[in-house]
Amino acid sequence: MQPLLHRDAFLERLRRQERWDVIVIGGGATGLGVALDAAVRGFRTVLFEQHDFGKGTSSRSTKLIHGGVRYLREGDLGLVREALRERGRLRHNAPHLVWPRLFVVPCYRWWERPFYGAGLWLYDRLAGKGRLGLTRRLDAVETHALLPALRRNHLRGGLAYPDGQFDDARLLVHLAWTAAEHGALVLNYMPVEALTGTHARLDGVVVRDLESGERFEVRGRVIVNATGVFVDAVRRLDNPDATPLIVPSQGVHLVLPRRFLPGEAALLIPRTDDGRVLFVIPWHGQVLLGTTDEPVPDPELEPLPTEEEITYLLTHAGRYLEPAPTRADIRAVFAGLRPLVQRGGLKDDTAHLSREHVIVVSRRGLVTVTGGKWTTYRLMAEETVDRALKVAGLPHRDSSTATLRLHGATRHVDVADPWHVYGTDARHLRRLLEAEPELAAPLHPRLPNRMVEVVWAARYEMARTVEDVLARRTRALFLDAAAALEAAPAVARRLAAELGRDRTWINTQLRDFVALVRRYVPDLHAHDPNDASRAEQTAPRRD
């Protein structure tokens, strides 16, 4: 199999191509969606990501492709209907990465079942032909059968409704694949350092390859800023006096052992002390609990969960689960930042800021798209490309992404198979295993991944670091941070062999990864972040 996502080949093409139609800044869901949409329409498209694809918000979601039941309470019926329509499209276009999940709302007071039932009835109707099923009423016995860990005291029954679940980082990789298959050039570890042009018009960007230090001046007809929580920083490259457009909001998630939610149903906690909803969801053999919604002053690539957020999630989960989870049960904790669009005086109340997206064009023609949610990334991309074509003076061509099957799409999906998220690529991994049987070695007894996935990520998915492999090409860091740490030395050695790196590179990678892991398990002090050699010594060799 010839690698389509090949960084060196992309760099060589970048050196040869004199001008592009569309330059996209940002390799998250929206940016890759824009690159795919533009490329499918036949425009010469290049995308630059400052770190790895999905390093920021797009790999740190609650793993839901949904309309957003809580938005019903806030009256955002248009947003819910729009998101449910996109949920249906994504389920059709990427069935290997988006699958149905049954959610249960437990009811402990007499009025809760009719109250929440009315909202879910409307949720079903707004989904129209794209609905995954219908809401049904449950008695107490049925509710507890679906959620065996649920507290029984005063339980009156519940409601069950279907919604969509997915793997965000792997969907990003397959978006990159699909964009490349349609001619787009997508590059990670290529930060944009400057915008070029006249006082009247932008005409390109200056980017730097973080691996080699090489700089490129790239010319294009239009530049799209799709950098999520960093859009204002890019806008200031165009206009230093640009008024802030977004308010970053932090959402924290905890990962717990599967015993806290046996069975296949997810739990929706319908109301918290501050009026939010929480989800407790089976995900890749673990349980995901989230999320919070707190404003943060400045965006950063690796946001840090606070003690208050962790306590908040454990407290609310403990009101519904028996036994209640504790800090000692946490396998991983991660935070993501949402780019919420400012609305009047609501800057300090991010829970009530709209999840709708906006597209703005600067005086010099920088097209910025921000806001929105994962579920609506495709629609955001379509509308952004429509606007960008007008700005560039390029001919209008209709988008076809609403029915475009993504890379790996297959109708035969077994969600019990850990490799189902690879879709049709799973057969290539199995062939690779046949050719190199030693790659069957597991990364760690507590992880579902094998060494063949490391090799695949390096050869075919532009993974450049241990973090890329363990955080996003696999989800090891998000599922079990301590296990990922123990797997890191073997991963680093194999990745170094694939990329032609030396011992110094391995040691640097391990030192960086140890420091990163400490942010995912704040109580983890098993290793000194300045002692990479110790991390390697304590982990068994699996290669």
Side-chain angles (χ1 to χ4, degrees):
M1 179 177 176
Q2 293 297 316
L4 185 62
L5 288 178
H6 194 283
R7 198 169 185 277
D8 290 341
F10 281 170
L11 287 171
E12 185 55 36
R13 184 178 162 199
L14 185 66
R15 295 184 186 101
R16 295 196 311 266
Q17 184 77 45
E18 292 185 0
R19 198 179 191 203
W20 301 83
D21 295 320
V22 180
I23 298 173
V24 183
I25 309 173
T30 307
L32 283 166
V34 168
L36 172 59
D37 191 285
V40 168
R41 298 195 206 196
F43 296 105
R44 295 170 298 180
T45 305
V46 60
L47 177 145
F48 300 111
E49 162 56 40
Q50 66 171 327
H51 195 274
D52 184 36
F53 305 121
K55 161 68 175 180
T57 304
S58 294
S59 66
R60 302 160 184 269
S61 73
T62 313
K63 323 306 176 193
L64 297 179
I65 294 296
H66 64 146
V69 291
R70 78 177 185 86
Y71 306 139
L72 291 175
R73 188 168 61 222
E74 297 172 6
D76 284 341
L77 299 187
L79 176 62
V80 175
R81 182 186 294 107
E82 181 180 89
L84 288 171
R85 182 174 61 246
E86 290 299 312
R87 181 191 68 180
R89 288 170 172 166
L90 194 48
R91 170 75 179 139
H92 174 268
N93 294 337
H96 60 307
L97 289 167
V98 180
W99 56 90
R101 175 71 70 185
L102 187 69
F103 287 76
V104 175
V105 184
C107 300
Y108 290 88
R109 298 177 179 87
W110 68 267
W111 55 267
E112 289 181 331
R113 196 158 45 175
F115 178 76
Y116 296 129
L120 290 172
W121 177 88
L122 179 58
Y123 195 66
D124 292 340
R125 298 310 178 272
L126 289 173
K129 296 180 179 178
R131 62 177 175 241
L132 302 175
L134 293 174
T135 299
R136 58 189 176 94
R137 291 167 58 94
L138 306 171
D139 61 26
V141 174
E142 293 170 322
T143 302
H144 200 268
L146 288 172
L147 298 175
L150 194 67
R151 289 187 179 275
R152 295 190 183 194
N153 195 27
H154 302 301
L155 180 66
R156 291 175 174 266
L159 297 152
Y161 74 97
D163 223 328
Q165 188 176 12
F166 79 133
D167 187 312
D168 45 16
R170 184 127 295 276
L171 179 53
L172 285 171
V173 172
H174 285 210
L175 281 173
W177 264 99
T178 313
E181 288 168 346
H182 287 84
L185 190 158
V186 293
L187 279 161
N188 52 1
Y189 296 98
M190 294 283 286
V192 171
E193 298 186 328
L195 306 180
T196 62
T198 66
H199 290 295
R201 190 76 176 176
L202 296 174
D203 65 4
V205 299
V206 177
V207 296
R208 178 169 60 93
D209 179 4
L210 290 182
E211 294 190 353
S212 68
E214 182 179 3
R215 280 182 167 79
F216 300 82
E217 290 192 13
V218 183
R219 304 298 179 193
R221 299 281 294 272
V222 65
I223 303 167
V224 175
N225 172 18
T227 54
V229 293
F230 299 102
V231 291
D232 286 331
V234 175
R235 291 173 64 236
R236 285 192 291 271
L237 294 178
D238 174 37
N239 174 14
D241 298 321
T243 301
L245 185 61
I246 64 108
V247 178
S249 166
Q250 178 158 293
V252 170
H253 299 80
L254 307 182
V255 179
L256 303 168
R258 194 70 166 88
R259 69 178 182 272
F260 286 101
L261 201 70
E264 295 305 313
L267 163 66
L268 185 149
I269 296 174
R271 190 172 183 86
T272 61
D273 293 342
D274 58 350
R276 292 184 51 75
V277 302
L278 293 182
F279 296 96
V280 190
I281 311 169
W283 189 63
H284 290 329
Q286 305 281 32
V287 173
L288 186 69
L289 166 61
T291 179
T292 60
D293 196 333
E294 295 294 330
V296 294
D298 298 300
E300 54 181 310
L301 269 175
E302 196 62 59
L304 188 65
T306 66
E307 291 296 321
E308 292 77 13
E309 288 170 310
I310 294 172
T311 300
Y312 170 92
L313 292 173
L314 290 174
T315 298
H316 283 91
R319 296 174 184 174
Y320 287 82
L321 300 179
E322 194 171 30
T326 68
R327 283 187 68 94
D329 297 310
I330 297 174
R331 294 280 177 88
V333 51
F334 63 92
L337 300 182
R338 309 175 188 88
L340 303 182
V341 180
Q342 291 198 45
R343 303 288 190 191
L346 293 175
K347 182 175 181 178
D348 295 325
D349 187 11
T350 54
H352 293 90
L353 285 177
S354 174
R355 269 51 177 175
E356 292 180 331
H357 63 277
V358 297
I359 302 169
V360 297
V361 180
S362 75
R363 181 180 58 82
R364 295 204 296 166
L366 177 67
V367 179
T368 294
V369 55
T370 193
K373 51 205 294 280
W374 235 120
T375 306
T376 57
Y377 88 90
R378 189 212 64 82
L379 180 63
M380 293 168 63
E382 177 182 331
E383 293 179 359
T384 301
V385 174
D386 285 344
R387 181 73 67 87
L389 297 182
K390 293 179 180 178
V391 171
L394 290 164
H396 178 79
R397 299 169 187 166
D398 290 337
S399 173
S400 60
T401 56
T403 57
L404 178 69
R405 303 274 282 183
L406 298 185
H407 177 85
T410 174
R411 296 189 183 280
H412 305 289
V413 180
D414 178 8
V415 295
D417 178 2
W419 283 2
H420 79 271
V421 293
Y422 289 93
T424 56
D425 284 342
R427 65 175 181 264
H428 297 300
L429 272 83
R430 293 187 174 94
R431 289 172 186 164
L432 190 54
L433 269 183
E434 292 173 1
E436 302 178 56
E438 71 277 9
L439 297 181
L443 297 189
H444 190 277
R446 293 201 305 270
L447 295 173
N449 312 105
R450 299 181 179 275
M451 189 59 70
V452 66
E453 296 175 74
V454 178
V455 173
W456 177 264
R459 293 181 187 176
Y460 302 107
E461 295 182 343
M462 290 178 69
R464 311 301 292 177
T465 70
V466 170
E467 180 193 337
D468 292 349
V469 171
L470 291 176
R472 289 173 292 278
R473 302 308 183 275
T474 71
R475 308 316 308 272
L477 177 61
F478 287 74
L479 292 171
D480 191 324
L485 179 62
E486 293 178 21
V491 170
R493 291 193 296 271
R494 186 70 207 206
L495 194 57
E498 292 293 326
L499 300 178
R501 305 294 194 245
D502 59 15
R503 169 60 61 178
T504 299
W505 182 87
I506 292 175
N507 290 339
T508 300
Q509 284 290 302
L510 291 175
R511 184 168 56 248
D512 291 346
F513 193 70
V514 170
L516 178 67
V517 168
R518 292 172 70 92
R519 303 177 75 91
Y520 284 72
V521 181
D523 293 338
L524 182 65
H525 300 294
H527 304 287
D528 184 340
N530 296 314
D531 187 0
S533 62
R534 186 175 169 195
E536 177 148 12
Q537 291 168 6
T538 57
R541 298 179 71 93
R542 305 182 192 278
D543 57 346

